[in-house]
Amino acid sequence: MSSISKDLVLFNELVDVLINEEEQHPVADRIDADKLYDTVDLSLNSNPIIDEDLKNVLKEVLATTPKTATNLFFNQLFGGRQGKAVLGDLLAVMLNNSMYTYKVAGPQVGIEQEIIRQSCNLIGYGSQSNGTFPTGGSMSNYMALVMARDAKDPDCRLNGMSKPLVVYTSKESHYSNAKNASFAGIGRNNIRYIPAYKEGRMLASKLEEQIIQDIADGFIPTYVNCTAGTTVLGAFDPINELADITEKYGIWLHVDGAYSGSVIFSEKYKHLVAGIERSNSFSYNAHKMLGTPMTCSIILVNDKKQLHDSFSNDAEYLYQTDGDDFNLGKTSFQCGRRNDALKFWTLWKSVGTQGLEKIVDQQFDLADEAREYVSNHPDYTLYSYEDSISICFNYKNIDPAALCTALYEHQITVVGFGAFQEETFVRLVTINANNEKVDILNFFKVMEEFVETAPQLPQMKELAAQS
Ligand SMILES: *Cc1c(COP(=O)(O)O)cnc(C)c1O
């Protein structure tokens, strides 16, 4: 047997170990961070080790690595596992192409372009649209910002920033906006954070007020980042209202759908991004709602010329054949680029667009179940709203940070907490479409049982003070 074939036999054996582990211990054996190096042998040494020893250490690493695909992981904006997407990603590893040229990627170029074309059609972008697969949602936001900057001030590509550009986003938007403003030379102090309504959606009227003020002060409004699925509440900014403003003032509108932009696949929920065809760019993460392996982020651009203007560079050593439409390196940030398209394509190909719709709808069904449970039980307070897959709540006035940490340290379930305006709460995310309603009810059950038996958990400060 060839060496790679032997390694793949070992791989299959280890995958069986992992799947068995996930069934036995849906929350992994946790190692205290300060004991990590004493507990597992992670050392690298000058001597090789035999496969049997390698296998044993890998088994230990598998058992102690946090399990993100199980029915007790609710911590982040991803979870679960779509088998056909895993298959595609494993094949991408075996093929090991780089997506910059047709010469090196061949049909993989068509696979990526087909996803982009179909996605553009779904959101109503026209024949001039295109896109690319950045490293993630943060990079998608960055690429959108750079295109906006270059559209407003084309000269800055050659001479650097000289104009007083300002950009806008909601207070509830993703933190990458702040970093990106600094990377793009715009500066963190030149982001205007627009307040949100109580449901977490950006207030369009406040945006316009701020723009008028900035113009009066001599600034140049350049970019509005609108969120489809805010990080904490899962809220959708009102795209049509924002587009009325960006069109009026000639500002780039980007819709950051990293979290919940995949609603474009659902007849029932795509109204949440109504007006999306009016945006200049839109991004979504298939590794969030659609359950592909990390990372799989897609940015679509309404006018592909702008993608080209900002990201192309001639390189004779690289682009020697086949033409720009097939040499995707002409519109990407990186040079060498991992194939993130194949895993999404194998999933989409196997379940069809209707299957993707089911994956999305299932998460909203699970969210309804969770919200109903929280609303119907007097020991709970609900903070989030309908049409979101983030269910934010507190239980028995227990301090949410202490509760989430205790649940994690005792390996009960993995869930996080968040804050909106004055409130802090537990944030349950129903993003794992492999889950059923019983899994959601089981989450509440294990949490309540834990609280019953746990040592005294602190009460929320404010409420404790009031009572
Ligand atoms: C997750 C997320 C991002 C960042 O995406 P990464 O792929 O983690 O870089 C950006 N915006 C929103 C709204 C997100 O939820």
Side-chain angles (χ1 to χ4, degrees):
M1 219 194 292
S2 71
S3 152
I4 178 70
S5 298
K6 273 201 269 177
D7 288 338
L8 291 177
V9 170
L10 177 58
F11 173 79
N12 278 313
E13 193 183 331
L14 288 168
V15 168
D16 285 341
V17 168
L18 175 61
I19 289 178
N20 188 49
E21 261 300 320
E22 288 176 347
E23 280 162 12
Q24 303 301 316
H25 305 111
V27 182
D29 295 339
R30 188 180 154 276
I31 303 171
D32 278 333
D34 58 3
K35 302 201 182 79
L36 176 62
Y37 297 103
D38 303 328
T39 312
V40 201
D41 180 11
L42 302 177
S43 65
L44 295 170
N45 308 299
S46 57
N47 301 333
I49 59 170
I50 58 165
D51 274 4
E52 196 60 26
D53 291 344
L54 179 64
K55 180 163 89 183
N56 288 334
V57 77
L58 284 173
K59 278 185 183 171
E60 213 182 329
V61 169
L62 289 178
T64 51
T65 296
K67 305 282 173 281
T68 64
T70 69
N71 64 351
L72 285 171
F73 180 81
F74 298 99
N75 198 62
Q76 235 81 47
L77 305 183
F78 70 96
R81 187 183 279 135
Q82 293 292 340
K84 288 295 190 298
V86 171
L87 171 68
D89 209 13
L90 294 173
L91 291 174
V93 170
M94 290 299 291
L95 288 166
N96 200 33
N97 300 102
S98 176
M99 298 302 285
Y100 40 35
T101 61
Y102 187 76
K103 192 177 182 185
V104 172
Q108 302 300 323
V109 167
I111 281 173
E112 182 167 306
Q113 283 290 303
E114 175 67 3
I115 293 171
I116 288 167
R117 198 177 62 79
Q118 294 267 357
S119 302
C120 286
N121 284 345
L122 275 175
I123 66 169
Y125 275 4
S127 59
Q128 288 312 304
S129 57
N130 207 315
T132 184
F133 279 60
T135 52
S138 302
M139 178 57 86
S140 292
N141 279 339
Y142 181 63
M143 291 184 77
L145 178 61
V146 168
M147 286 185 283
R149 183 197 68 183
D150 295 350
K152 191 55 90 182
D153 181 13
D155 185 56
C156 88
R157 283 179 295 159
L158 294 177
N159 294 316
M161 282 270 298
S162 60
K163 293 187 178 163
L165 307 185
V166 285
V167 303
Y168 305 83
T169 193
S170 137
K171 279 195 172 130
E172 299 306 307
S173 68
H174 190 255
Y175 72 81
S176 55
N177 282 296
K179 298 200 291 183
N180 291 339
S182 117
F183 303 157
I186 286 168
R188 289 175 189 246
N189 290 342
N190 294 315
I191 307 187
R192 308 288 187 249
Y193 288 100
I194 307 301
Y197 293 96
K198 75 172 191 348
E199 298 92 346
R201 312 166 76 218
M202 196 198 303
L203 265 165
S205 59
K206 293 280 181 209
L207 173 66
E208 187 163 17
E209 277 172 30
Q210 182 67 51
I211 289 170
I212 291 169
Q213 182 67 51
D214 283 329
I215 293 171
D217 293 343
F219 290 105
I220 302 174
T222 300
Y223 170 82
V224 172
N225 181 287
C226 156
T227 314
T230 58
T231 315
V232 176
L233 288 185
F236 291 79
D237 287 341
I239 302 177
N240 270 317
E241 288 174 40
L242 301 179
D244 288 343
I245 299 168
T246 54
E247 285 168 10
K248 183 169 163 189
Y249 295 94
I251 301 172
W252 187 285
L253 179 63
H254 175 67
V255 178
D256 173 8
Y259 180 10
S260 301
S262 299
V263 295
I264 60 172
F265 292 100
S266 167
E267 280 306 314
K268 194 168 169 194
Y269 294 100
K270 70 179 184 193
H271 70 90
L272 296 169
V273 291
I276 186 131
E277 70 285 353
R278 299 171 67 188
S279 62
N280 298 90
S281 53
F282 164 64
S283 52
Y284 68 104
N285 278 359
H287 71 257
K288 287 183 173 171
M289 278 190 119
L290 300 178
T292 73
M294 296 257 248
T295 52
C296 189
S297 186
I298 297 105
I299 185 168
L300 309 174
V301 183
N302 212 328
D303 181 356
K304 65 181 175 199
K305 183 177 173 298
Q306 289 171 303
L307 190 58
H308 202 269
D309 283 354
S310 290
F311 293 98
S312 72
N313 209 74
D314 282 330
E316 239 177 90
Y317 78 91
L318 186 61
Y319 304 115
Q320 298 172 337
T321 55
D322 303 307
D324 282 2
D325 285 348
F326 288 87
N327 287 332
L328 302 182
K330 288 273 178 158
T331 46
S332 66
F333 184 88
Q334 304 109 290
C335 177
R337 185 162 61 92
R338 191 180 189 283
N339 179 359
D340 284 331
L342 183 58
K343 57 193 165 196
F344 186 14
W345 186 86
T346 47
L347 174 65
W348 196 338
K349 185 83 176 166
S350 72
V351 301
T353 312
Q354 292 169 357
L356 300 182
E357 173 172 38
K358 284 198 190 117
I359 290 173
V360 170
D361 287 357
Q362 172 71 0
Q363 295 160 54
F364 283 97
D365 287 350
L366 297 175
D368 288 344
E369 180 79 4
R371 230 178 349 260
E372 202 177 297
Y373 186 90
V374 168
S375 308
N376 291 339
H377 287 74
D379 287 337
Y380 287 83
T381 316
L382 180 67
Y383 299 89
S384 53
Y385 298 86
E386 279 180 26
D387 289 337
S388 155
I389 61 165
S390 295
I391 295 82
C392 302
F393 67 85
N394 278 318
Y395 179 56
K396 291 189 167 173
N397 297 335
I398 298 168
D399 179 80
L403 177 58
C404 291
T405 305
L407 288 166
Y408 160 64
E409 286 179 351
H410 291 81
Q411 287 144 242
I412 306 297
T413 180
V414 188
V415 67
F417 56 92
F420 176 65
Q421 293 173 351
E422 305 300 304
E423 311 283 358
T424 303
F425 35 66
V426 179
R427 183 193 62 168
L428 172 71
V429 186
T430 58
I431 203 157
N432 178 354
N434 300 143
N435 277 343
E436 301 288 338
K437 289 181 177 171
V438 290
D439 297 303
I440 301 303
L441 297 178
N442 182 56
F443 164 81
F444 291 113
K445 182 166 159 270
V446 298
M447 186 195 70
E448 290 168 14
E449 283 173 2
F450 174 72
V451 168
E452 279 304 304
T453 55
Q456 193 71 48
L457 286 160
Q459 295 277 297
M460 285 191 288
K461 285 185 189 76
E462 246 183 350
L463 286 162
Q466 281 167 14
S467 55

